[in-house]
Amino acid sequence: MTPAVDVTRPVDLSQGRDAKPPGSFLQRLPDEDWHTLLKIGLHGRTFYRDEVLPMGPETPNIYIIWEGVVRQDRYPLGDAPHIPTITRFRGAGELVGEAALVMPGSTVATRCLTRTVAIPCDARYFTALIERRLPRARHALLCSLEQRNRSDETIYAMAIRPPLERVSRLLAHLATTAGVPDPRDNQQIVITGPGQKDLAAALQLAVSTTENALRTLRHHGVIEARYRQFVIRDIDGLRQFVGA
């Protein structure tokens, strides 16, 4: 699918990088290296909800997510119906498509769950750049990927934990990495993009099980669920369920 480019609102990449989630690639990247990347012509492109980021042999790109949320799906057992997938959510500050840096042509299905601003770069060019000119950027990338792997283990791989705890843990993670203050009440956090089915797929839970956990959180006044949006009304209350 051809990406849609929003030409009506230029994306200012010179502001806001320091506000990216802690531990993300953009947050770890040294200022000097970021300015170098901007000087060579990196720019943001706007993709709309449900668009797929072009990757693979024909478009060997990596993407740095500037704003928005994407869903990544891998199919280790094949992509036939009803076969389990590996689903992850990635948000602002993260680099996606990293496998192409070491395995040219590698791809993972990456779909935008919201309007998403992403910075594309040819994977081969990016590899050469960080190896020859920006070694600190390479270190920032490796550190961010290692932290992401550890975070994934605690969020997505806890199959032995109760569903309520797992759903709460994922929502708390999304609140930190993809949430924004509610414009009507800045004490609340709004997560836009993932729906109940997305959460269920990511945690490999039945949709009904996920709905039951969300119903419990709503009953306790911790969250409010809307269409493809969750409002975290009490983040401290949500975190209490994480350790349940």
Side-chain angles (χ1 to χ4, degrees):
M1 178 182 295
T2 302
V5 183
D6 186 350
V7 297
T8 63
R9 189 181 72 88
V11 179
D12 184 3
L13 301 180
S14 65
Q15 303 291 328
R17 184 176 63 87
D18 293 339
K20 302 309 178 190
S24 65
F25 172 62
L26 282 183
Q27 189 271 330
R28 289 178 177 273
L29 190 66
D31 290 340
E32 182 180 345
D33 289 359
W34 177 240
H35 293 318
T36 298
L37 291 174
L38 292 181
K39 288 178 181 178
I40 66 175
L42 289 188
H43 61 279
R45 303 184 70 173
T46 299
F47 298 82
Y48 294 99
R49 192 178 75 184
D50 292 329
E51 283 197 273
V52 175
L53 298 185
M55 296 183 190
E58 296 181 358
T59 314
N61 282 343
I62 57 95
Y63 293 85
I64 302 169
I65 306 301
W66 183 256
E67 62 182 56
V69 182
V70 301
R71 168 177 165 165
Q72 294 195 302
D73 291 292
R74 297 184 186 275
Y75 304 90
L77 302 179
D79 58 358
H82 309 301
I83 290 181
T85 62
I86 303 299
T87 298
R88 299 289 184 264
F89 302 120
R90 306 302 182 202
E94 298 197 60
L95 185 147
V96 298
E98 67 279 358
L101 299 176
V102 292
M103 295 182 292
S106 177
T107 186
V108 57
T110 304
R111 178 169 58 86
C112 299
L113 295 179
T114 63
R115 174 188 175 279
T116 299
V117 177
I119 305 167
C121 186
D122 180 88
R124 292 161 294 190
Y125 178 70
F126 190 80
T127 298
L129 190 65
I130 62 176
E131 288 182 351
R132 299 173 186 174
R133 293 183 56 188
L134 304 174
R136 292 183 301 173
R138 178 177 60 183
H139 183 260
L141 175 60
L142 292 175
C143 288
S144 69
L145 293 177
E146 173 61 15
Q147 178 167 320
R148 192 166 78 183
N149 287 338
R150 293 182 181 226
S151 177
D152 283 354
E153 290 174 354
T154 63
I155 296 165
Y156 300 102
M158 294 293 173
I160 63 172
R161 303 302 298 166
L164 178 59
E165 177 185 334
R166 297 176 65 197
V167 171
S168 300
R169 189 183 297 273
L170 178 53
L171 287 175
H173 169 71
L174 289 173
T176 301
T177 58
V180 297
D182 189 334
R184 297 173 297 181
D185 182 350
N186 60 14
Q187 298 300 311
Q188 299 183 154
I189 301 172
V190 179
I191 304 166
T192 301
Q196 294 183 8
K197 291 183 178 180
D198 296 307
L199 299 187
L203 296 173
Q204 296 188 349
L205 293 172
V207 173
S208 59
T209 302
T210 304
E211 289 175 344
N212 287 337
L214 293 172
R215 187 178 301 114
T216 299
L217 295 174
R218 289 198 302 269
H219 174 75
H220 285 85
V222 173
I223 71 166
E224 178 184 344
R226 303 171 183 167
Y227 176 67
R228 298 183 75 161
Q229 189 176 81
F230 296 97
V231 178
I232 310 302
R233 301 177 64 184
D234 181 358
I235 187 64
D236 292 331
L238 177 64
R239 289 174 178 147
Q240 290 182 6
F241 287 96
V242 171

